[in-house]
Amino acid sequence: MVNAVIERFQRLDAAFSERASKGERLYGRFSALACISGEESPEQLVDRSLHIRDRMNEGLGTWRSPGRAMRLVFSAALAASDRTAGNFFTVRNALNSRRQERGSRTLSHGGSCAALALVVAGGDTSQVDNFFDILDEITLPWWNRVPAREDVLAATFAATGETPEDARRKLDQSRLALRSAGIPGHHVERAAQEICLGPINGGELAAAWTSLNTAVRGRPVLRSGVGKTGLAVLASRGRGRETADMLVSSFEAVRALRPRPSGQVAARLAMRLTQAQTGSTEPHAAARDLAAILAAQAAIIAVAAGSTATIAAAS
C-alpha cells in the first residue's frame, strides 16, 4: 500500500506536469513538494499556483528576484498556505523599507526568502521589526553564515510570535541536542536551524542517527543527496528504524517517477517526503532545496566553463 504522503505527492507531481511547461518540469516537482501540506485537491492547488505565478511575473518583471526559475515554487508555497502574491509583495516591500530605515544588512535575494517564509508561516507587516530584532540575535559570524537560512529562520520565528531571546534559546537547545547525539560539528549549525522550530526527541536522536546512516550505506546517491545534515534533521524526531524505512521507500517512489529525476533531486525530494511523514515540513523548504540545487548546478557549469576557457587559451 502506497503511503498517503507519497501518494499525494505523486498526484501533485502529475498535476503540475500536466499544466506546467516542459521547461518547468524540475520546478514542478518542487512545487508539488511545496503543496504537500495544502488541504485542497491537487488540481485546485495547481490552478492557484499558476495564477499566483502569473501575478508574481507581472509584479517582478524579468530581472527582479526570485528569478523565473523559482517563481512557480514560491507560488506553490503561497497557494498551499492560502496566501497570495499580494501578501508576498506587501511583506517584501515592508521588509526592504524597514531594512533601509534601520541600516540592517542586505537581505538575501532582495528580501524574497524572508518575505516568503514570513508570509507562509502566517505573518504580516506588523512583525517586520521583530524579524530584524531576531535576525540580529541569531546572526552568526560572517565565516559561518548562510544568510538565506538565517533570513528564513528569523522570519519564521517572527511569524510565530517568538521573541529574540526565545529564538536564541531554541537554537542553543537544538545545537546541544545534536552535539550530545554525536552529530559531527560542522553539520550541527545547519541542522539546528531546521529542527529548532519543532519538537526534538533528544532521547532517541542518537539511535535514530545511527539507524539512518546504516540505511543509506550502499546507496551513494541517497547518502550524498541527503547528506549528514539532512540525516540529522530526520533523526531529530527519533523513531530511527521507522524513519529509515520511510526514507528508503520515499526514495524508491521518487525514482519511479517519469521522467526519472536526477540523483540529487530524487534524494532531496525523498528527504522532505520523509520529513512530512514524521511531522511536518514547511512549504518554503521546497524553495530552499531547489535554490541550493540550482546554485550547485550553476557552480558546476561555471567550473566547466572556466576549464574550457583555460584549455582554449592554452591551445
Side-chain angles (χ1 to χ4, degrees):
M1 180 177 180
V2 178
N3 179 280
V5 171
I6 295 175
E7 183 178 28
R8 178 164 175 79
F9 170 75
Q10 291 170 334
R11 291 181 59 203
L12 284 161
D13 178 68
F16 273 104
S17 179
E18 182 179 346
R19 298 287 304 280
S21 66
K22 185 177 181 180
E24 293 178 317
R25 185 165 287 152
L26 172 63
Y27 317 126
R29 290 256 154 92
F30 282 89
S31 299
L33 182 63
C35 287
I36 284 288
S37 61
E39 297 182 354
E40 297 174 288
S41 70
E43 293 72 23
Q44 289 174 310
L45 283 167
V46 172
D47 279 342
R48 294 212 304 121
S49 296
L50 293 174
H51 174 76
I52 293 171
R53 192 272 312 274
D54 291 343
R55 301 290 79 76
M56 291 190 76
N57 284 340
E58 292 171 3
L60 293 170
T62 303
W63 302 110
R64 294 180 69 191
S65 180
R68 286 186 175 271
M70 292 294 298
R71 291 176 191 173
L72 182 60
V73 188
F74 269 58
S75 299
L78 291 167
S81 306
D82 198 24
R83 308 306 294 272
T84 67
N87 297 137
F88 171 79
F89 287 131
T90 298
V91 169
R92 176 178 142 140
N93 291 339
L95 285 169
N96 286 322
S97 295
R98 192 66 180 123
R99 183 197 69 78
Q100 293 180 343
E101 294 167 358
R102 291 175 58 125
S104 298
R105 79 184 198 200
T106 300
L107 299 177
S108 300
H109 305 290
S112 294
C113 299
L116 180 68
L118 198 147
V119 168
V120 301
D124 56 38
T125 55
S126 67
Q127 292 152 319
V128 167
D129 263 315
N130 193 37
F131 161 78
F132 285 107
D133 291 341
I134 293 172
L135 188 60
D136 290 341
E137 184 69 24
I138 68 172
T139 293
L140 294 170
W142 64 268
W143 62 84
N144 198 28
R145 182 184 303 163
V146 182
R149 284 179 176 270
E150 290 181 344
D151 291 358
V152 165
L153 181 58
T156 308
F157 271 135
T160 55
E162 301 287 357
T163 65
E165 295 75 19
D166 286 339
R168 167 64 70 177
R169 176 179 52 81
K170 289 187 174 183
L171 259 175
D172 286 343
Q173 289 175 341
S174 299
R175 292 175 181 129
L176 178 60
L178 291 164
R179 291 190 185 107
S180 299
I183 309 302
H186 56 292
H187 296 289
V188 165
E189 189 57 47
R190 294 189 181 186
Q193 290 178 348
E194 284 210 38
I195 70 174
C196 66
L197 295 165
I200 300 171
N201 191 332
E204 294 187 15
L205 205 163
W209 166 255
T210 299
S211 295
L212 284 160
N213 275 277
T214 300
V216 299
R217 288 177 188 165
R219 297 180 175 88
V221 172
L222 185 55
R223 184 177 66 248
S224 62
V226 173
K228 296 290 186 182
T229 299
L231 294 179
V233 170
L234 292 177
S236 67
R237 292 296 184 94
R239 300 161 55 192
R241 291 185 179 179
E242 183 180 353
T243 303
D245 289 342
M246 289 178 184
L247 178 60
V248 172
S249 62
S250 295
F251 181 67
E252 291 174 349
V254 170
R255 295 272 284 178
L257 295 172
R258 293 294 180 270
R260 188 175 186 176
S262 67
Q264 185 184 19
V265 170
R268 294 304 296 178
L269 292 173
M271 181 215 160
R272 294 302 180 186
L273 287 175
T274 304
Q275 192 178 15
Q277 294 174 58
T278 59
S280 64
T281 181
E282 300 87 355
H284 58 72
R288 184 172 61 226
D289 287 346
L290 177 59
I293 288 170
L294 292 176
Q297 290 175 343
I300 292 171
I301 291 170
V303 170
S307 299
T308 302
T310 301
I311 293 170
S315 60

